[in-house]
Amino acid sequence: MTQTDALTAAARRPGYIKLHDEAGFAGMRAAGRLVAEALDAVHDMIRPGLPTSAIDAFAFDFARSRGALPATLNYRGYGHSVCTSINHVVCHGMPDDRPLREGDVVNVDLTFVLDGWHGDSSRMYFVGEASRRARRLCEVTHEALMRGIAAIRPGAHLGDVGAAIQDYAEGERCSVVRDFCGHGLGRLFHDEPNVLHYGRVGEGPLLKPGMFFTVEPMINLGKPAVKILPDGWTAVTRDRSLSAQYEHAVGVTREGVEIFTQSPRGLFAPPPG
Ligand code: MF3
Ligand code: CO
Ligand code: CO
């Protein structure tokens, strides 16, 4: 979400982060699994020549056939069931009829509402063979996400998550996008808290069992600055460097953290090699 979304969320109920019960966990598990299954199916579709509009049509039909709805459709004027962000597109790329090309790396971001609960996840896909640089960026971004999630447990601070992501990504000579962040979710698509992918240990809200949010770092090979194209949505790197993103929706448990959007087929992480 954007910083404007965050301000709107804060104005609604300043600083308040909902604590969900077991029924909430059950709802998020079902919604998260549905999104993960759809992203697994996208894995089988991706190939040179495929227009991203075909992924959009698939996502819409998949959601409808399982009693869900794409949450992005008509969200603040966004007209699609999926975001498809190719190469130097950071996020919110809109599907269209242009074919994917050999060597592209594309993030597919899906949010479905199932029985009122939001599942939100994204991953990177390689179109044919990806370059070494692109593969490395995807590995760094996935690892940054997983290190951020590993910092989640009751008593930790949200800043610990951002610090884990930033320290790792910058240590790998990559940069963290500042203009977009993760977000609370549940019955709402974008709720408190605002999950920054940079920060300091010990800062930010204290994590408690029952909090639900996404972690969705956008990592660039070049500088962190982004700009929005005239379509009002597509965010690209200013220096046109490659950008990658991985997103999971998670819940804080008494023991630590539960990932709601794990891939049933183990296809979430970038392929090794
Ligand atoms: N799924 C995106 C996220 O992770 C939000 C997309 S909003 C849209 O928060 F309007 F661009 F689709
Ligand atoms: Co999200
Ligand atoms: Co998303």
Side-chain angles (χ1 to χ4, degrees), residues 100-114:
L100 290 169
R101 292 179 308 183
E102 171 76 31
D104 283 344
V105 287
V106 56
N107 174 279
V108 176
D109 190 338
L110 279 182
T111 311
F112 290 162
V113 207
L114 178 67

Side-chain angles (χ1 to χ4, degrees), residues 8-9 18 31 114 182 201 207 224 232 260 267:
T8 316
K18 292 185 186 74
L114 178 67
V201 170
L207 298 182
F260 296 128
L267 297 173

Side-chain angles (χ1 to χ4, degrees), residues 131-180:
S131 69
R132 268 184 102 83
R133 296 172 331 124
R135 291 200 313 259
R136 177 174 166 271
L137 175 65
C138 291
E139 275 158 26
V140 168
T141 307
H142 174 264
E143 178 67 16
L145 167 65
M146 298 319 284
R147 287 184 184 219
I149 292 174
I152 300 171
R153 57 179 167 74
H157 290 260
L158 214 43
D160 304 358
V161 178
I165 293 167
Q166 181 179 18
D167 292 352
Y168 174 72
E170 292 181 354
E172 294 292 325
R173 301 178 315 283
C174 296
S175 67
V176 178
V177 170
R178 305 293 204 274
D179 303 69
F180 301 96

Side-chain angles (χ1 to χ4, degrees), residues 109 120 183 189-190 214 216 247:
D109 190 338
D120 186 7
H183 49 92
F189 186 177
H190 289 124
T214 70
E216 48 180 298
E247 173 176 26

